[in-house]
Amino acid sequence: MSLGRPTATHDENRAVARTNIQSILVNQTKFIGDVILTSVLTRHLRATYPKATIALLCAAGLERFVVAQGIADMAIPFGRRRMRGTTYERVSELYRVTSTIRRQKFDLTIDLSDSKTSRILTRLINAPIRIGFDPPENPLRFWETQPANVFAATYGHGGEHYLYRYLSPLAALGIELADPVPSLQPIEACQVEARELLARNNVAKGSFIAVHAGASFEGRCWQPERFASVIGEIYQRSGLTAVIVGGPDEAPIAQKVLDAATSPVVSLVGKASLEVLAALLSEAFMFLGNESGPMHLAAAVKTPVVGLFGLTSPDIWGPLGVPSRTLRPSMPCQCIAKGICKEDETGGVYCVQRLPVADVARSALELIDVLRRNPIAV
């Protein structure tokens, strides 16, 4: 795989690492799962530059989570929806974000978003050290240029998982990778709130599976009635009840699971902030859900995972650092949504809906059995 322009040499890396860096901006404006993977990068940056202020440019709505969980010292919101709006909305959002960032006078910027917009921001901010991918994940047009002056390998060198792309800037800075596993600690106050939520619903710690039936794209959602079937079999065979989690916008799909359920199910959808959700997931015996941010969050708080995948490969986006089972239908896909699926768009296909109930139930029950026979594995 061609990496285009070479990364910085060892001598150059050492020079960068010795630079008196007091402030760092990481541009990561994608989804919550991406932010959780990025936490490994910021953890290493904090260890290398303990006196530096680390900021994360993140999707609006994630700021409180980012700071509360210690992923960064400060978070700057980026309005993704405004950037898909009118020309005025796009220009005003870029102006607002750029003005905010330039007032901070960052010594180092790291562009993980790797988009046309993020490269515009990198150029406008113009920090002394600017790390970017060269070539970018999507090739530049002939009129575009890469504003970075330190280059990271496009896909990283540590492994196939997408995490290693987000860790690639460490090598460009001459920083050794110590621990590649995302790890978040539930906030004490949020843990109290999570336990109170569970207690009000007569659910005890470790007595339930956390179920997330939603996802950022409709095509990544396994059928609600199939979730209900698996939940019922898990309850019958293991005694574990189900607690459905998710954001307020996922209430309709959660209700479909509730309507089809034949076993005890509690819905906490829309009742927990992301910080409280992290605590809730840490109380669960296991997580069952679609490939999504909550799946990565469950793994980060050390809850075992059963993850359901479609076009996206578990080798690239699977849970890390915990006992897990991942399921994906055979490929190439025998399309079940012809005329609707968008080939090669992970959010625009419905491959996950080919997963049979029997396979998911079997994998979940196998993992439950392993965990009960060997609790130290958790």
Side-chain angles (χ1 to χ4, degrees):
M1 182 182 295
S2 173
L3 296 178
R5 192 180 303 182
T7 57
T9 67
H10 291 300
D11 288 341
E12 290 169 333
N13 286 339
R14 282 194 292 269
V16 170
R18 287 196 302 267
T19 303
N20 184 25
I21 294 174
Q22 299 295 320
S23 55
I24 303 169
L25 174 70
V26 179
N27 184 329
Q28 175 55 283
T29 57
K30 296 183 181 179
F31 301 100
I32 181 61
D34 300 272
V35 169
I36 291 166
L37 297 182
T38 300
S39 70
V40 183
L41 171 70
T42 58
R43 188 175 72 221
H44 283 75
L45 292 172
R46 195 181 301 281
T48 305
Y49 307 109
K51 295 182 179 180
T53 297
I54 299 175
L56 190 74
L57 179 64
C58 62
L62 299 182
E63 311 96 286
R64 192 171 72 174
F65 174 81
V66 164
V67 175
Q69 290 292 162
I71 296 172
D73 301 306
M74 61 180 293
I76 301 168
F78 183 75
R80 289 166 55 96
R81 289 184 180 179
R82 286 178 62 81
M83 289 304 297
R84 293 192 293 267
T86 64
T87 300
Y88 172 78
E89 288 175 326
R90 294 197 300 271
V91 171
S92 61
E93 182 65 12
L94 273 176
Y95 177 79
R96 182 193 66 78
V97 171
T98 304
S99 299
T100 300
I101 293 172
R102 292 190 71 165
R103 284 197 295 269
Q104 304 296 326
K105 300 186 184 300
F106 288 101
D107 301 316
L108 164 64
T109 58
I110 300 175
D111 179 12
L112 297 185
S113 295
D114 194 23
S115 66
K116 181 177 180 179
T117 300
S118 67
R119 285 188 287 276
I120 290 172
L121 285 171
T122 298
R123 185 174 290 107
L124 291 173
I125 297 163
N126 199 33
I129 303 170
R130 305 179 298 278
I131 298 180
F133 298 105
D134 191 15
E137 188 172 27
N138 296 310
L140 294 174
R141 305 293 178 86
F142 73 90
W143 64 85
E144 296 177 318
T145 58
Q146 171 58 275
N149 54 15
V150 176
F151 302 99
T154 308
Y155 296 102
H157 298 299
E160 186 178 1
H161 199 283
Y162 209 82
L163 167 74
Y164 291 99
R165 170 176 167 78
Y166 292 152
L167 296 181
S168 185
L170 294 177
L173 285 166
I175 300 172
E176 184 176 350
L177 178 60
D179 179 6
V181 177
S183 181
L184 299 177
Q185 293 296 320
I187 301 161
E188 186 175 351
C190 294
Q191 204 148 33
V192 170
E193 185 176 343
R195 289 173 180 169
E196 289 175 348
L197 272 174
L198 292 171
R200 286 200 293 271
N201 289 278
N202 299 313
V203 179
K205 176 180 179 179
S207 69
F208 68 98
I209 58 169
V211 177
H212 181 236
S216 54
F217 300 107
E218 181 185 0
R220 287 184 177 174
C221 296
W222 200 43
Q223 296 94 320
E225 63 275 12
R226 296 191 181 187
F227 270 111
S229 295
V230 171
I231 287 168
E233 189 163 351
I234 289 173
Y235 178 73
Q236 184 178 18
R237 298 276 296 275
S238 72
L240 293 168
T241 58
V243 173
I244 306 180
V245 298
D249 58 331
E250 293 171 323
I253 196 167
Q255 188 59 50
K256 290 179 181 179
V257 178
L258 290 168
D259 291 343
T262 57
S263 60
V265 180
V266 170
S267 176
L268 296 180
V269 171
K271 296 181 181 179
S273 64
L274 271 174
E275 306 92 271
V276 175
L277 177 59
L280 271 173
L281 294 175
S282 73
E283 300 282 307
F285 183 86
M286 187 180 77
F287 172 91
L288 167 66
N290 302 308
E291 184 237 330
S292 62
M295 181 197 74
H296 291 289
L297 184 56
V301 295
K302 307 310 176 195
T303 296
V305 168
V306 176
L308 311 181
F309 289 74
L311 186 63
T312 306
S313 169
D315 292 336
I316 298 174
W317 283 104
L320 295 164
V322 293
S324 65
R325 298 288 187 274
T326 55
L327 296 97
R328 185 191 190 198
S330 58
M331 294 290 168
C333 186
Q334 300 168 4
C335 189
I336 62 169
K338 292 180 180 178
I340 299 176
C341 286
K342 298 177 182 178
E343 188 177 356
D344 298 328
E345 283 190 28
T346 57
V349 296
Y350 291 73
C351 310
V352 70
Q353 296 188 5
R354 291 175 50 225
L355 287 173
V357 167
D359 289 357
V360 176
R362 182 170 55 252
S363 292
L365 289 165
E366 284 175 357
L367 183 55
I368 290 169
D369 184 56
V370 168
L371 296 170
R372 283 181 166 171
R373 285 189 286 107
N374 184 22
I376 298 175
V378 181

